[in-house]
Amino acid sequence: MSSPISPDIVYKLRGVGDPALSPDGTRLAYAQSWIDQSDGFESRSRIMMLGMPGGEASEFTQGNKDSLPKFSPDGRVLAFLRPDDSGKKQVWRMEVGGGEARALTNAPGGVTEYSWSPDGQRLVFRADVEPEESVPDEKDDSIPRTRVVSRIRYRYDTLGWRGDAHHHLFVVDADGENSRQITDGDWDDQSAEWSPDGESIAFLSGRRDDRDFFSLTELYVVPAGGGEAEMRSQGLSGVGALTWSPDGKRMAVLATEDPDGLVAWQAWLYVVEPGKIPQRLTDDSMKPYLGFPSINQPPELSWTGDGRILFLGDAQGESFLYEVLADGGQVRTVAGGGCQTTALTLDRQTSQGVILSASPGSPGDLFQINIASGAGGKLTGVNREYLDEHPPATMEKFSFERAGFGIECQLWFPPDFQTTRNYPLLLDVHGGPNGAFYDSFNAIQQVLATAGYLVLAVNPRGSSTYGDDFMKAVLKDWGGEDYLDLMAAVDLVSERPYVDSDRLGIHGYSYGGFMTSWTVGHDDRFRAAVVGAPCTDLYSMYGTSDIGISFGEVQWGGSLFDAADELIKHSPITYAKDVSTPVLLLHGEADNRCPISQSEEYFTVLKRLGKEVEFVRFPDCSHLFLRVGHPKMRAEYLSRTLGWFDKWLA
């Protein structure tokens, strides 16, 4: 007998990720993850190996937290990341034919990225480098010590305290010998890619003099043995991913020319060549996918021997695999649609690929793609049994026109939906504000919808994947036209005969939390609100968030001195006196992005005004804890959200 998807889905689902095809395409390595309920609900992951095509997957490694497998160029060795005894990830290697795994690196700060050299004799890796400091006279760890801050970007959400530490690049021989650092400086280096001849390494870094104030990155090339890095991205304001041309003379990059836009919001595909103006190959009808900072890196970007460039991209809330000629021309859609794709791996001949995709009815599996025809097949089904026993909600997509833009919406229905019944309606608001709801499996929406709620997910202006103008329409207008888009969607759906307009609720996380707290201060139709990790006071957030300046000045219209009145005007806390909706605040205590003080302020003001409000604090949880936090905390977020709506709407 089937049952709803409950908050314990966090413990039940298995995940797949980090796919890596062998160069000849005969093997697929990937990481499979799960929650070990018998050992403190710890997250576990191992490397799986699958024969292509259609083979059976088997465990290749036996570690507890193995990830990011990569084949050597000859396909005989598989490297991967595994924590050492201190919990820091290191690069390990293991013969594909079997044998013992052994560590290749011993980086004190741990390794976050790596790649093989073209000849397989070396690897470049990115590691955390702590500043050299004098050893304190007192070695007793119980004695408190001060920490000195000398720059604005001294901490990052999820990473925590950074101080003067930086990520830099190292090269090590394939046998683990001769590790040497090849970049240095008061900045972070990342996304290293070997040149085809193995003589140089291209990478991304933010080295501008104003790097403390802006989240901008440039493209650099450094000799593989170390030396002075040369910038190669003149004319571009931000670069998010790169690959070399087969002859090593040019590079393809995902980047932006817009000084007021971040590459993570909207990127374009360019070809760059020393001494020439960057050539743009794509328009903004799609958004090249760049991964999620602090969680995963950009997927594979490939320049083929016959002059094609393949990349993943998103358009109108759906993901696709695209192909375009390096010399320009029409972009071809290879495969995709109706899903959210977050990883890509290709064989050496670029004849086949494997993607990681989630759909409305499945949280994610691996699929094989024939590059020439676009045909493909499913390779994994790790959650088939769970989904058979817990049928997901179904989705309807629709759109409407408002104030010059088409607004796309998703409406999620309980599996046993009947048009003759009345259902409470919940509005779910995404983060960003330049995020988007995709045609994808969303645990919060699935838990709520399968519990008997209709869930409305809207991509208002400001959402990405709908073009640059649409995305930038939210800048300097938080709570303006985007709020009206959301309310118009609620009005439209509330006209349906099976919607109980007297039982409306609203939920949102991050910017969605901002919009939820903003909405209940401007509209009294909602009977319950769950506000996750919000920004409620933009004036105070400017100086307390890890991105208060680099993100806030672009989004809000300037510095604290330039836009003080606007910050107050667009802050939900300004309208707290008008709140009549019962509010549940959920916030991580280690959140550096939207600091927990944002919920503390809002709770205090609402409580002083005599409003119905409850505040739940999640210990040791960053802003991204719903993605990477402890399973118990993730499950409790779902449980408390569902419980609040059941209390006030059921």
Side-chain angles (χ1 to χ4, degrees), residues 15-21 28-32 48-50 52 57 69 341-345 353-358 362-369 376-384:
V16 292
D18 301 337
L21 269 174
L28 175 69
Y30 63 93
Q32 181 166 298
M48 308 293 291
M49 190 72 77
L50 186 152
M52 296 286 286
T341 302
T342 54
L344 167 69
T345 178
V354 171
I355 58 174
L356 169 61
S357 292
S362 173
D365 275 302
L366 298 173
F367 296 81
Q368 183 181 18
I369 301 293
K378 192 173 183 178
L379 297 173
T380 61
V382 292
N383 296 302
R384 186 181 300 112

Side-chain angles (χ1 to χ4, degrees), residues 110 259 275 512 518 546:
W518 176 271
D546 65 338

Side-chain angles (χ1 to χ4, degrees), residues 366-438:
L366 298 173
F367 296 81
Q368 183 181 18
I369 301 293
N370 180 292
I371 301 302
S373 68
K378 192 173 183 178
L379 297 173
T380 61
V382 292
N383 296 302
R384 186 181 300 112
E385 292 183 5
Y386 178 87
L387 296 173
D388 287 343
E389 296 174 1
H390 305 79
T394 56
M395 181 189 73
E396 172 198 339
K397 288 183 76 170
F398 66 93
S399 61
F400 64 93
E401 297 291 325
R402 195 199 148 264
F405 286 115
I407 308 301
E408 195 165 62
C409 310
Q410 302 170 349
L411 186 60
W412 296 88
F413 296 86
D416 59 353
F417 172 76
Q418 301 174 32
T419 57
T420 56
R421 292 178 53 188
N422 285 331
Y423 294 85
L425 174 68
L426 304 179
L427 173 64
D428 193 21
V429 188
H430 67 62
N434 306 120
F437 285 127
Y438 285 75

